[in-house]
């Protein structure tokens, strides 16, 4: 093992494969699927997930920032890559050099874009149809930007897209309004670009891409539902790829009245077995998760006392040996702690949980039941 602390995240690449393949089966064969690997693939590992997704049928990748795209290119990824977020216009030549497609989101960006004379820059125009984030809003803005593209030999109009604000909700009225506005903008174009896309995971699975010829598969590629509200509406079951594990490093018996952790907020009510796990808030296992269960020996056991920077303590039903496996996210025997359970405890969404498990937690990649690689940012 290429790490020296008994805490790690396991990434099941077979689950990534399943989720991508089932999505591709659900869509028309002509639809181009962008696998969204921004934010280090939602904490799963961008390079490993990108390779698995491309092998499973994804045709391109999408990231948030230029830095993420450059990292993938430097790692040998030659598939199409789209940067969904804004990049500085003075960095446009870097994107062109590395054949990275960029997003144009306002009228002035192209006038400032620095592209060398012999370069071509692939452009996707972002339309704001109701997200209130980056993007063009009107036909006039759109046509102005298209004219700028047409007037320059350096720019290629490769795509146009928007993003839904409520596709993960049962009520579809607002999404339908956004889609109608997007179609009006597309209809105003004399020439359509090769890629037209509006669907995130929720819209991809529920509405098969909403009639567009490309989709962006993000959260559901990782086996997580876009929202628990629409889980019953999904066309197939998703397989979570991420699990979080640790091992007991010490087990001790407390006497009644003895206390645990900072602030001495937990007091043993009787003779209690307390185990220590080497994971804490510096790993993204934040203090708000105090009281959350973990799985040991197929049983739920609670975290007691305040979670420390590097460690936390659990109350055990009996004595266990140091080295006993603990599952913080994932399945153990007949029990499971889901990403949604942790998100509920933290009063957030499942997207956030794997993203904030920090890089000092090694990622162990599993395929066909075997470890195929390990990424440890500390070594």
């Amino acid at each position: 093992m290429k790490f020296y602390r008994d805490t790690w995240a396991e990434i099941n690449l077979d689950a990534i494969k399943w989720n991508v393949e089932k999505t591709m089966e659900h869509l028309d064969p002509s639809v181009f699927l962008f696998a969204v690997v921004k934010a280090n693939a939602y904490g799963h590992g961008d390079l490993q997930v990108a390779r698995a997704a491309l092998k499973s049928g994804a045709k391109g990748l999408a990231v948030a920032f230029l830095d993420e795209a450059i990292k993938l290119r430097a790692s040998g990824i030659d598939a199409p890559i789209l940067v969904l977020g804004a990049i500085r216009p003075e960095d446009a030549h870097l994107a062109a050099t590395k054949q990275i497609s960029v997003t144009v989101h306002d009228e002035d960006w192209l006038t400032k874009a620095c592209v060398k004379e012999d370069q071509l820059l692939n452009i996707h125009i972002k339309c704001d149809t109701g997200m209130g984030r980056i993007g063009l809003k009107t036909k006039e803005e759109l046509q102005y930007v298209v004219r700028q593209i047409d007037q320059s030999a350096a720019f290629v109009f490769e795509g146009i897209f928007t993003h839904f604000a409520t596709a993960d909700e049962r009520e579809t009225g607002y999404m339908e309004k956004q889609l109608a506005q997007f179609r009006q903008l597309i209809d105003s174009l004399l020439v359509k670009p090769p890629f037209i896309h509006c669907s995130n995971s929720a819209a991809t699975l529920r509405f098969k891409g909403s009639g567009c010829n490309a989709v962006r598969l993000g959260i559901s590629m990782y086996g997580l539902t876009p929202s628990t509200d629409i889980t019953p509406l999904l066309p197939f079951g998703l397989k979570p790829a991420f699990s979080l594990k640790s091992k007991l490093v010490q087990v001790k018996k407390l006497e009644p009245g003895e206390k645990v952790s900072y602030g001495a907020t937990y007091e043993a009510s009787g003779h209690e077995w307390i185990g220590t796990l080497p994971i804490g808030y510096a790993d993204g296992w934040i203090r708000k998760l105090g009281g959350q269960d973990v799985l040991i020996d197929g049983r739920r056991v609670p975290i007691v006392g305040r979670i420390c920077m590097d460690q936390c303590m659990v109350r055990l039903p009996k004595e266990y040996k140091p080295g006993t496996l603990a599952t913080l996210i994932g399945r153990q025997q007949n029990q499971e702690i889901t990403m949604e359970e942790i998100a509920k405890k933290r009063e957030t969404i499942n997207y956030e949980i794997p993203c904030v498990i920090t890089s000092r937690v090694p990622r162990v990649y599993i395929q066909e039941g075997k470890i195929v690689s390990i990424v440890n940012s500390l070594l």
Side-chain angles (χ1 to χ4, degrees):
M1 301 292 279
K2 298 179 182 178
F3 54 92
Y4 304 100
R5 172 178 63 144
D6 284 328
T7 293
W8 69 98
E10 286 185 6
I11 313 301
N12 187 333
L13 296 177
D14 293 323
I16 300 290
K17 180 176 184 288
W18 162 273
N19 298 323
V20 173
E21 288 181 345
K22 293 298 288 184
T23 301
M24 295 297 296
E25 291 173 10
H26 177 63
L27 298 171
D28 187 278
S30 64
V31 173
F32 188 101
L33 189 146
F34 287 99
V36 182
V37 293
K38 63 180 180 177
N40 194 31
Y42 295 45
H44 291 65
D46 52 5
L47 181 59
Q48 293 76 14
V49 170
R51 287 173 173 164
L54 292 168
K55 287 180 181 178
S56 304
K59 298 173 184 176
L61 305 172
V63 295
F65 306 120
L66 182 58
D67 311 63
E68 296 173 325
I70 291 172
K71 178 188 174 187
L72 290 171
R73 282 284 185 258
S75 299
I77 298 292
D78 58 7
I81 301 176
L82 169 62
V83 177
L84 297 169
I87 80 165
R88 293 189 295 255
E90 57 265 33
D91 295 330
H93 66 99
L94 293 173
T97 298
K98 299 181 184 298
Q99 295 182 303
I100 295 167
S101 301
V102 303
T103 292
V104 171
H105 56 90
D106 67 34
E107 294 178 276
D108 298 327
W109 193 91
L110 287 172
T111 64
K112 302 173 183 176
C114 297
V115 181
K116 297 177 182 178
E117 187 175 341
D118 58 343
Q119 289 184 323
L120 290 177
L121 181 66
N122 290 324
I123 289 167
H124 288 233
I125 297 176
K126 177 67 178 291
C127 299
D128 177 12
T129 59
M131 186 71 181
R133 218 160 52 175
I134 65 170
L136 307 175
K137 295 182 68 175
T138 68
K139 294 178 183 178
E140 292 74 23
E141 291 174 332
L142 175 58
Q143 289 165 3
Y144 177 76
V145 170
V146 170
R147 284 196 300 272
Q148 287 181 298
I149 295 173
D150 291 342
Q151 291 167 5
S152 173
F155 302 141
V156 178
F157 187 16
E158 185 180 60
I160 185 169
F161 70 109
T162 194
H163 188 69
F164 293 134
T166 62
D168 59 353
E169 298 178 5
R170 283 179 180 259
E171 170 55 49
T172 60
Y174 192 76
M175 191 198 104
E176 290 169 2
K177 180 180 177 181
Q178 281 192 262
L179 181 58
Q181 185 173 341
F182 185 51
R183 286 174 174 162
Q184 289 176 6
L185 290 169
I186 293 170
D187 288 343
S188 73
L189 297 173
L190 294 177
V191 178
K192 309 295 190 292
F195 297 112
I196 300 173
H197 48 112
C198 61
S199 291
N200 52 14
S201 288
T204 296
L205 297 183
R206 293 179 71 190
F207 308 111
K208 295 189 176 183
S210 302
C212 297
N213 64 8
V215 298
R216 306 182 301 271
L217 188 67
I219 192 69
S220 293
M221 179 169 64
Y222 305 100
L224 301 176
T225 181
S227 76
T228 54
D229 190 39
I230 66 165
T231 300
L233 306 179
L234 299 181
F236 55 87
L238 298 166
K239 293 188 177 182
F242 187 104
S243 58
L244 182 63
K245 299 182 179 181
S246 189
K247 290 183 180 180
L248 292 170
V249 293
Q250 187 174 25
V251 175
K252 61 180 62 175
K253 191 173 186 179
L254 296 192
E255 300 295 323
E258 288 194 281
K259 299 181 187 297
V260 175
S261 198
Y262 290 112
T265 57
Y266 179 80
E267 181 177 316
S269 59
H271 291 94
E272 295 182 2
W273 290 103
I274 300 295
T276 298
L277 297 172
I279 183 172
Y281 61 77
D283 302 299
W285 201 249
I286 64 170
R287 281 164 52 118
K288 194 166 187 176
L289 290 170
Q292 170 64 37
D293 288 341
V294 306
L295 301 177
I296 292 179
D297 193 25
R299 304 180 184 184
R300 284 178 170 263
V301 300
I303 296 172
V304 296
R306 290 176 177 163
I307 293 174
C308 309
M309 182 180 286
D310 314 298
Q311 302 172 83
C312 64
M313 283 63 77
V314 294
R315 186 178 67 235
L316 303 170
K318 63 178 184 178
E319 183 179 11
Y320 286 98
K321 292 182 179 180
T324 299
L325 179 68
T327 300
L328 293 85
I329 299 173
R331 181 175 291 278
Q332 191 183 99
Q333 298 182 29
N334 295 323
Q335 290 285 336
E336 184 177 15
I337 294 175
T338 65
M339 204 74 75
E340 288 72 30
E341 178 180 336
I342 302 301
K344 184 177 181 180
K345 177 70 174 179
R346 289 185 56 164
E347 298 181 312
T348 186
I349 55 176
N350 56 4
Y351 295 65
E352 185 178 323
I353 305 306
C355 291
V356 299
I357 300 300
T358 63
S359 61
R360 80 170 189 170
V361 175
R363 268 58 170 179
V364 177
Y365 295 91
I366 308 294
Q367 194 165 27
E368 297 179 351
K370 298 179 181 178
I371 296 174
V372 293
S373 65
I374 298 172
V375 175
N376 183 357
S377 67
L378 299 180
L379 296 178

